[in-house]
Amino acid sequence: MKKYIDLQEYYDELLMIRRWLHRHPELSMEERHTSEYIACYLEKCGLTVQRTGDVGVIATLFSDRGQVSDMADEKCRTIAIRAEIDALPIQEATGLIFSSENPGVMHACGHDCITAVALCLAKILSTQRKSLKHNVRFIFEPAEETGQGAKYMMEHGALENPQVDEILIFHFANQEPRGMEIQKSITTAGVCGITFRIKGKSTHWFEPENGRDAMYGAAKLIEEIHDINAGFPAEYPFVLGFGLMKAGAAGNIMAEEAMINGSLRTFTKKDADAVLEELKKRMKRIEQETDLRITMDMGRSIPAFHNHAQLVKRGAEVGRDLMGERFMLGEKPFLVGDNAAFYAEKIPGMRTVFLAGKPGEKCCPVHNPGFDIDETVMMDALRFFYRMVI
């Protein structure tokens, strides 16, 4: 039976890393100081470190076996662990003693915790090379929040030299106290950005008959979007979410132009195509009813993330052994998106969620100024990924 070292002694290190990162958040594609901190830490641990431009870091820990793999009968596999490093444009309101020192920027999605776990794991594994059956690749990805990071890192060779065979990603959520969940198959949604532009004709409001109100068209379109969300018969759950609208120039002038921006989140291409077709049909009807011109532009999109069956089987065995009844093998996917799905289109991948609500406290959701987690749950993640790669 395999013996594992006790990792509890690394808890203080986890806290130190997480809190430094939390105090020094940086926005997507601006993570220069964060990347420098990560690279220096990994170099001290003896990993082979590659900087990916100004932001992002790729690091590889070669097992003793991996370094002579060319002479081995069987190829030495390489397992990758992805950690996001970007923060959000949010003014922190947690009151933590290690709150953000950068005004208007905050780690409000747990990326500081994820990066801390990955760095600490790299340090632990660097002392365990003889026990490693695999090479381990660490991908510290910028710009996950904007959906740019995964492609950027792949363009810089994140899955190459050596070729990566599988990838593990994870997230911290705080809706419930300590626990762990892996979805059997689909785990995150595909997301595509959508922008509607409504073109009318401006006039002074004392003679409305001479204009065509773009704001009215935008309002009708939003009403149709809500109706689709409420009752369109898709196979899986979906959501059309629009959170930005701009219209008009002044209160006494009929709006000549309006814009609404949001996204569609679905779990299958079939559902995405059906919802978009319904949306276009209703858009055309509004055009006919109002004599407005409406265009629909599709923005950046990412696919859904499907957990690989073999990784799920292995992850579930480790999860149950570590967490007992606190581990759940889930059937219901999350409408959250993650550009790590681009990695999973190339190689087998698995996403794990660690539940980390603070016991007895009201928890603010992700992307909220008050977001925080129970830091002790970072040890669950550290132990899990240590078992997955050792």
Side-chain angles (χ1 to χ4, degrees), residues 84-219:
E84 310 102 302
I85 65 174
D86 55 334
L88 290 156
I90 292 173
Q91 180 62 44
E92 182 162 356
T94 61
L96 295 168
I97 60 172
F98 52 90
S99 290
S100 170
E101 297 176 3
N102 296 339
V105 186
M106 176 192 174
H107 274 295
C109 202
H111 292 181
D112 51 339
C113 304
I114 294 168
T115 299
V117 169
L119 286 174
C120 203
L121 179 65
K123 182 173 186 176
I124 294 165
L125 294 178
S126 69
T127 69
Q128 300 278 299
R129 290 178 188 266
K130 291 183 180 179
S131 300
L132 281 176
K133 292 183 178 178
H134 319 281
N135 302 321
V136 184
R137 165 68 52 82
F138 292 92
I139 301 170
F140 293 91
E141 177 191 307
E144 186 278 331
E145 292 291 351
T146 58
Q148 301 168 267
K151 285 188 173 180
Y152 173 84
M153 295 304 280
M154 285 193 288
E155 287 169 0
H156 284 82
L159 303 183
E160 303 167 2
N161 301 317
Q163 178 182 325
V164 175
D165 297 286
E166 59 193 51
I167 188 165
L168 306 173
I169 73 167
F170 61 111
H171 187 67
F172 289 99
N174 65 358
Q175 308 98 312
E176 300 175 36
R178 184 176 174 235
M180 176 183 168
E181 183 172 358
I182 299 174
Q183 266 57 49
K184 289 182 178 179
S185 180
I186 305 172
T187 179
T188 66
V191 183
C192 63
I194 302 174
T195 300
F196 286 103
R197 301 185 190 280
I198 303 96
K199 178 71 173 177
K201 181 182 178 183
S202 66
T203 183
H204 196 288
W205 270 110
F206 83 84
E207 48 181 5
E209 66 279 3
N210 291 334
R212 298 191 302 278
D213 187 6
M215 189 182 295
Y216 174 63

Side-chain angles (χ1 to χ4, degrees), residues 2 7 40 63 78 121 131 149 164-165 185 196 200 211 220 243-244 249 265 269 316 339 384:
K2 183 178 289 186
L7 304 184
C40 290
S63 72
T78 299
L121 179 65
S131 300
V164 175
D165 297 286
S185 180
F196 286 103
K220 288 182 71 68
L244 177 65
R265 296 168 182 267
K269 186 178 184 302
N339 78 167
F384 174 76

Side-chain angles (χ1 to χ4, degrees), residues 194-198 221 242 258-260 279 283 294-296:
I194 302 174
T195 300
F196 286 103
R197 301 185 190 280
I198 303 96
L221 193 54
F242 286 77
M259 180 276 291
I260 59 175
L279 195 54
M283 180 188 81
I294 306 175
T295 59
M296 183 173 74

